[in-house]
Amino acid sequence: MYFIIGHDPARYFHVRPEFYETFIRFDFTLSRDGSDKSDGILLHATVPFTDDFEADKSAALEMIAEQFLRISHDYWDGQCATDEDIDEGLKYEAAREDALRMEHEIAVKFVDALALDGYTVARDMIGNDFRLADAGERAEFKDYVFDGLIGDITVFRTGAAHRFSFNFGRDGWDIVRSSNGRLETMIETITEPYRVKGHDAKIDGKHPSGAFSRFLDEISTPRQTPT
């Protein structure tokens, strides 16, 4: 509460006690520049009268704080979170970080497996070719994928051409799709260890923060056609 009030350096608060026979009523007001002119808020809390005034005041301020936080949006555009909320957010972020790591590892292993299985060229939808047998061009293709490649990829091997697509942003492991039996077997073999682990948190863009925000920034940058 004090942080929210202090968000505006010109704002001050006053707490005035009013004593009664068996209780104390505390009035909380906001003002500017130390004047008695109200800043549009007046809250009250009543507590039993004891011999410990500071304890009475502290109890009253807790009740006033609860009232103030319900209307804090009028005085501050931020948010207040409990320790439990923060812990859940950290767990969710850690799960998304791990899912991103899994996506990256699977994509790299899949591209390398294509080369080992005799696929020599990968071609995107606009006709960019990458020679998978060449380590340098294979690395360029991986970078191209992570820079936001969208759409199907056709890979060529002697006497055959097969199609697949990357589908980032799901469970961390479910990122490669293909209707070709040969590629499906390869995909299942690579993703099996990751699929067993799974994730409760999805990289679905509902909470774009931290590493996921950086991921969104990366995939939204314009693609460059390899030369």
Side-chain angles (χ1 to χ4, degrees):
M1 185 178 76
Y2 295 146
F3 176 81
I4 296 172
I5 295 171
H7 193 64
D8 183 347
R11 183 181 293 138
Y12 296 83
F13 73 93
H14 303 270
V15 179
R16 295 187 177 88
E18 187 170 344
F19 296 89
Y20 294 85
E21 184 175 352
T22 59
F23 63 88
I24 308 175
R25 190 185 77 177
F26 288 86
D27 297 332
F28 173 90
T29 59
L30 281 181
S31 61
R32 293 184 177 278
D33 298 324
S35 67
D36 291 331
K37 183 179 179 181
S38 174
D39 196 28
I41 182 172
L42 177 62
L43 302 175
H44 311 279
T46 301
V47 296
F49 189 8
T50 71
D51 294 332
D52 191 339
F53 175 76
E54 291 301 323
D56 296 343
K57 181 178 178 181
S58 177
L61 284 177
E62 285 189 16
M63 290 186 282
I64 289 172
E66 291 180 3
Q67 299 174 58
F68 182 80
L69 290 176
R70 295 192 191 102
I71 59 173
S72 62
H73 59 274
D74 292 333
Y75 302 90
W76 184 51
D77 59 2
Q79 298 183 18
C80 295
T82 65
D83 290 344
E84 290 77 11
D85 291 335
I86 294 174
D87 288 342
E88 285 301 314
L90 291 174
K91 291 177 182 178
Y92 186 87
E93 184 65 23
R96 290 189 303 177
E97 289 273 3
D98 197 31
L100 282 170
R101 177 192 58 78
M102 289 168 61
E103 286 194 345
H104 187 278
E105 289 181 2
I106 291 171
V108 168
K109 289 179 180 179
F110 181 67
V111 172
D112 288 341
L114 288 171
L116 289 173
D117 198 39
Y119 289 92
T120 57
V121 175
R123 178 177 297 163
D124 69 4
M125 293 182 65
I126 60 176
N128 293 314
D129 285 349
F130 299 88
R131 292 179 301 162
L132 298 179
D134 182 275
E137 288 199 28
R138 192 163 68 248
E140 288 182 13
F141 178 62
K142 294 172 186 176
D143 291 339
Y144 186 47
V145 168
F146 298 130
D147 281 342
L149 171 65
I150 298 174
D152 290 346
I153 296 292
T154 303
V155 287
F156 300 87
R157 66 197 308 270
T158 303
H162 300 136
R163 184 173 295 176
F164 72 92
S165 64
F166 284 110
N167 184 37
F168 293 106
R170 295 179 63 79
D171 299 298
W173 57 266
D174 185 20
I175 70 163
V176 191
R177 293 184 175 181
S178 177
S179 58
N180 174 264
R182 187 184 189 92
L183 293 185
E184 282 184 337
T185 300
M186 187 184 302
I187 293 168
E188 290 176 2
T189 301
I190 294 172
T191 59
E192 178 62 24
Y194 300 92
R195 187 166 59 248
V196 170
K197 180 177 181 181
H199 273 288
D200 293 330
K202 306 291 190 288
I203 314 176
D204 54 13
K206 292 182 180 178
H207 305 286
S209 61
F212 190 52
S213 290
R214 295 191 296 274
F215 178 73
L216 290 177
D217 290 337
E218 291 174 2
I219 67 174
S220 63
T221 56
R223 293 178 297 173
Q224 296 181 350
T225 302
T227 57

